[in-house]
Amino acid sequence: MGRRDKPILENVEIKKVAAEGKSIAYIDEKVLFVPNTVPGDIVDVQVTRKRKSFMEGYVTHVHTYSALRTEPFCSHFGVCGGCKWQQLPYDKQLEFKQQEVMDNLQRIGKVENSTICPIIGSEKQKYYRNKLEFTFCSKRFLTYEEVKTGGDIAPSPALGFHVPNLFDKVVDIEHCYLQSSPSNEIRNFIRQYAIDKGLTFFDIRNHTGFLRTLTIRTSSIGEVMVILALYYEDKAATSRLLDALKQEFPVITSLLYVVNQKANDSLTDQQIICYHGNDHIFEELGGLRFKIGPKSFYQTNSEQAYILYQKTMELAGLTGHETVYDLYTGTGTIANFIASKAEKVIGIEYVSEAIEDAKENAEINGIRNTRFFAGDMKDILNESFIETHSRPNVIITDPPRAGMHADVVATILKASPQRIVYVSCNSATQARDIQLMGDAYRVVTVQPVDMFPHTHHLENIVLLERIV
Ligand SMILES: C[S@@+](CC[C@H](N)C(=O)[O-])C[C@H]1O[C@@H](n2cnc3c(N)ncnc32)[C@H](O)[C@@H]1O
């Protein structure tokens, strides 16, 4: 069935925000997903997809804007993939996030009567990220309005963010409200330099062009890392660009580049070369110093990370006598953060470079009771590992969005710690895993923490206690 055969639904009232931040309406008991709307909007919708239980569509006309709406502050709102909730006031964003956690725990986790603590909002709602990745693209994305009004619409390069669902389209970003200075200045300088010097931007479809991606990391103690990814080697052009950057921004403490000739942009398997300064930056958190390499995971909202870790430690209820496992430890941030309150902490993670950073972070901070191991969780965390490293009294687990492998859940159940503190950036998979543990553990506390204002994302901490 082509689009022409699909109806336009008139005067549809958007009812609520559902999973993954999607706004929905109900049509004859069927769910209709409508992006870029908020509850209370009354709109006409062109249906683009029709299935047995749901439909999808886009707005063709707005009859009434919801009273909930607020004016988005960013000029790129609507086309850029980030900060999609700017049209909602922050207190409403928090309310919807809290609701999503509650829905997932009840519907998927089968958790009844759970008390959810009020979500902890982010004090900073702009410039809260310490890391951004921008993409170079030979053809700037043109908005519908630009095309309609004519003007200068000749192809021009862009350095910015992908347009959602369009892998080869990039919005040219002039100002991003996510990362503080000098992030905008560095990005705009590089773009202008490249245009002035005739350096080519990557053609994502045909894989041609020199400049590919730009990553900027900042830290609360003023250190700045810049990683420039290039598609091919051109030592002279690279040096000229990096020298110009170095001169313009003496604040850059780690200037790195990489030649990435793969089909995808991931740098985890690439050799990153240090051009100037250090091959890492430092961040400080809770009186500890953390070394962050170009491939290391580090929570992107440092100030909220501190609150997340404090809450995690509080819920772990440590007295100084416990053996704690910190599963999916990354660079060992949680493990090292809680170390002074435990007898010993075992961190496990599959990125070996992150484990090296974790060990170094322990050393830098004079922490002697943490041990770190690299490997896939489902392989490394088994009965014999637990026998060797002693049974955990407390397990802290912070898996990626997909949640934990069923084998890992089974091993945790066998290890039978008194408490499990489950930190997650996806409350749906978290609820699924909690349901698997439902016979042996009860949910005691649920604490959502907002790390990502103006998006539907959040972190959720759940404390589980052994029933018997
Ligand atoms: C959400 S991050 C948590 C990092 C850390 N707790 C922190 O706050 O910085 C999840 C981590 O799990 C790691 N990871 C993902 N899949 C894994 C697996 N199968 N086995 C071990 N570690 C894994 C990722 O590399 C990442 O560092």
Side-chain angles (χ1 to χ4, degrees):
M1 190 161 47
R3 179 158 305 180
R4 263 176 280 125
D5 310 317
K6 300 206 174 77
I8 289 187
L9 304 170
E10 289 176 358
N11 290 301
V12 172
E13 183 177 352
I14 303 301
K15 287 289 185 197
K16 60 185 253 191
V17 173
E20 301 280 304
K22 289 178 183 158
S23 294
I24 58 171
Y26 297 99
I27 308 289
D28 302 332
E29 310 214 340
K30 230 182 223 185
V31 172
L32 170 67
F33 292 103
V34 193
N36 303 324
T37 54
V38 306
D41 283 348
I42 298 180
V43 291
D44 293 345
V45 179
Q46 167 68 65
V47 175
T48 51
R49 206 163 162 224
K50 214 171 165 183
R51 292 285 180 273
K52 247 190 187 151
S53 60
F54 72 93
M55 295 187 282
E56 287 171 2
Y58 63 85
V59 174
T60 55
H61 179 70
V62 181
H63 291 281
T64 313
Y65 285 107
S66 166
L68 289 185
R69 279 183 180 255
T70 186
E71 192 60 35
F73 50 81
C74 177
S75 65
H76 304 295
F77 177 76
V79 278
C80 173
C83 306
K84 286 192 198 157
W85 270 12
Q86 274 177 58
Q87 55 197 359
L88 283 170
Y90 189 53
D91 59 341
K92 278 285 157 198
Q93 296 177 20
L94 293 178
E95 193 183 309
F96 290 142
K97 290 183 193 203
Q98 175 109 0
Q99 186 63 46
E100 184 182 3
V101 169
M102 206 133 71
D103 288 349
N104 284 336
L105 284 176
Q106 282 169 2
R107 195 172 49 83
I108 308 170
K110 310 290 175 223
V111 179
E112 283 159 21
N113 309 322
S114 67
T115 325
I116 303 193
C117 303
I119 184 167
I120 302 174
S122 176
E123 204 161 294
K124 266 192 192 162
Q125 289 141 37
K126 289 180 189 158
Y127 306 110
Y128 61 82
R129 282 186 67 101
N130 54 37
K131 181 183 177 193
L132 283 181
E133 290 165 33
F134 303 101
T135 302
F136 291 91
C137 179
S138 57
K139 292 185 199 84
R140 182 172 71 85
F141 176 72
L142 297 169
T143 61
Y144 177 66
E145 284 72 25
E146 281 178 293
V147 175
K148 208 168 62 174
T149 52
D152 183 13
I153 56 168
S156 60
L159 175 55
F161 296 123
H162 282 279
V163 180
N165 304 323
L166 296 175
F167 83 99
D168 63 338
K169 300 280 190 294
V170 168
V171 187
D172 201 36
I173 299 290
E174 262 311 308
H175 188 94
C176 176
Y177 288 88
L178 282 172
Q179 192 174 30
S180 61
S181 188
S183 174
N184 282 303
E185 293 84 347
I186 289 175
R187 184 198 57 251
N188 291 348
F189 174 85
I190 293 177
R191 176 180 39 226
Q192 197 53 52
Y193 176 97
I195 291 170
D196 292 347
K197 303 290 178 199
L199 301 179
T200 50
F201 288 41
F202 201 52
D203 181 322
I204 298 169
R205 225 168 238 284
N206 300 312
H207 279 204
T208 54
F210 180 49
L211 301 166
R212 210 168 159 170
T213 60
L214 168 71
T215 307
I216 302 176
R217 284 185 116 151
T218 46
S219 85
S220 61
I221 54 170
E223 302 204 354
V224 180
M225 174 184 282
V226 174
I227 312 167
L228 192 67
L230 311 164
Y231 186 50
Y232 55 80
E233 186 99 49
D234 181 340
K235 283 212 157 85
T238 307
S239 293
R240 281 194 296 269
L241 167 54
L242 296 180
D243 284 343
L245 191 60
K246 195 173 96 177
Q247 198 173 345
E248 186 73 16
F249 297 97
V251 69
I252 297 174
T253 51
S254 171
L255 184 52
L256 315 173
Y257 75 95
V258 50
V259 177
N260 175 18
Q261 298 194 304
K262 289 185 308 173
N264 66 53
D265 286 335
S266 156
L267 300 182
T268 47
D269 53 355
Q270 300 289 293
Q271 195 202 348
I272 298 180
I273 298 152
C274 182
Y275 186 78
H276 162 73
N278 302 315
D279 63 358
H280 58 266
I281 53 172
F282 277 103
E283 180 57 286
E284 274 181 15
L285 190 107
L288 302 178
R289 267 169 86 76
F290 291 97
K291 180 183 166 193
I292 305 168
K295 296 181 188 177
S296 304
F297 174 89
Y298 192 82
Q299 291 286 356
T300 48
N301 181 340
S302 305
E303 283 159 39
Q304 284 300 89
Y306 179 59
I307 289 171
L308 183 80
Y309 296 154
Q310 264 188 327
K311 276 283 158 197
T312 301
M313 184 161 76
E314 190 184 305
L315 293 176
L318 304 176
T319 61
H321 302 295
E322 293 82 4
T323 294
V324 183
Y325 282 16
D326 177 29
L327 308 184
Y328 309 91
T329 191
T331 50
T333 326
I334 295 180
N336 285 320
F337 190 83
I338 62 162
S340 65
K341 301 277 191 295
E343 186 174 311
K344 74 171 173 185
V345 189
I346 308 279
I348 307 175
E349 155 70 42
Y350 75 1
V351 175
S352 53
E353 287 100 337
I355 284 296
E356 289 316 305
D357 284 348
K359 289 178 185 168
E360 214 176 319
N361 283 332
E363 206 173 304
I364 291 166
N365 292 291
I367 296 166
R368 294 190 215 298
N369 60 340
T370 48
R371 298 285 174 276
F372 294 100
F373 300 89
D376 193 314
M377 198 62 65
K378 69 177 176 354
D379 303 328
I380 196 166
L381 185 72
N382 54 31
E383 279 290 297
S384 98
F385 183 93
I386 293 167
E387 284 307 312
T388 312
H389 299 285
S390 65
R391 208 152 280 279
N393 308 102
V394 177
I395 289 183
I396 295 172
T397 183
D398 183 8
R401 285 190 73 72
M404 295 192 282
H405 192 282
D407 291 355
V408 176
V409 177
T411 310
I412 291 177
L413 287 172
K414 276 191 211 147
S416 192
Q418 182 64 37
R419 281 184 295 287
I420 300 170
V421 185
Y422 192 148
V423 183
S424 172
C425 58
N426 182 346
S427 62
T429 54
Q430 182 185 41
R432 177 204 64 201
D433 295 345
I434 286 172
Q435 201 264 326
L436 294 175
M437 300 192 272
D439 289 342
Y441 286 86
R442 68 183 177 94
V443 170
V444 178
T445 309
V446 180
Q447 177 62 74
V449 180
D450 185 27
M451 313 280 281
F452 316 103
H454 313 302
T455 77
H456 68 271
H457 296 287
L458 76 153
E459 294 280 330
N460 189 42
I461 317 173
V462 175
L463 169 64
L464 298 147
E465 222 163 50
R466 203 174 57 209
I467 293 171
V468 281

